Amino acid sequence: MLGQADDLGGGVFKKRLDKNRSRSIILAKGGRYWVYEYLFAKKDRANITYGELVEFRELAKTYEMLTDERINQATRENLWTEICNGTET
């Protein structure tokens, strides 16, 4: 949200990691939750394909429909792992 990722549209963002050596595809859920969906090394591939982008956009739409309770349940069941940003008490 602060210009530290490329907006690929449809709730899909590409973020550079490790001093630009790695990339992550992040899916947004209404700007409230950010899901690290796919990680890859720049040396292994330059980018995702257009077909993958379309699929990530569809997945982002699915995540958009998740309720907070369903997200909490997925976290409790270890289907998702929460990464806190340091502002939680």
Side-chain angles (χ1 to χ4, degrees), residues 20-34:
N20 208 23
R21 291 187 304 251
S22 299
R23 303 282 189 269
S24 64
I25 300 299
I26 302 171
L27 306 181
K29 189 224 181 273
R32 293 183 54 224
Y33 297 100
W34 301 91

Side-chain angles (χ1 to χ4, degrees), residues 4-41:
Q4 299 174 352
D6 296 328
D7 186 346
L8 303 180
V12 180
F13 296 82
K14 179 173 70 173
K15 182 160 179 53
R16 290 162 184 82
L17 305 169
D18 302 325
K19 297 183 182 178
N20 208 23
R21 291 187 304 251
S22 299
R23 303 282 189 269
S24 64
I25 300 299
I26 302 171
L27 306 181
K29 189 224 181 273
R32 293 183 54 224
Y33 297 100
W34 301 91
V35 180
Y36 279 79
E37 189 64 38
Y38 181 64
L39 303 171
F40 62 98

Side-chain angles (χ1 to χ4, degrees), residues 29 32-33 63-76:
K29 189 224 181 273
R32 293 183 54 224
Y33 297 100
Y63 287 170
E64 182 66 31
M65 294 184 296
L66 292 176
T67 63
D68 289 347
E69 177 52 37
R70 180 62 189 112
I71 291 170
N72 291 333
Q73 179 184 2
T75 303
R76 284 191 307 271

Side-chain angles (χ1 to χ4, degrees), residues 37-69:
E37 189 64 38
Y38 181 64
L39 303 171
F40 62 98
K42 184 179 173 184
K43 69 180 180 76
D44 293 337
R45 64 185 299 187
N47 211 340
I48 59 173
T49 67
Y50 179 75
E52 289 170 321
L53 176 58
V54 169
E55 290 176 1
F56 283 130
R57 287 176 178 164
E58 286 298 316
L59 188 55
K61 285 181 192 176
T62 300
Y63 287 170
E64 182 66 31
M65 294 184 296
L66 292 176
T67 63
D68 289 347
E69 177 52 37

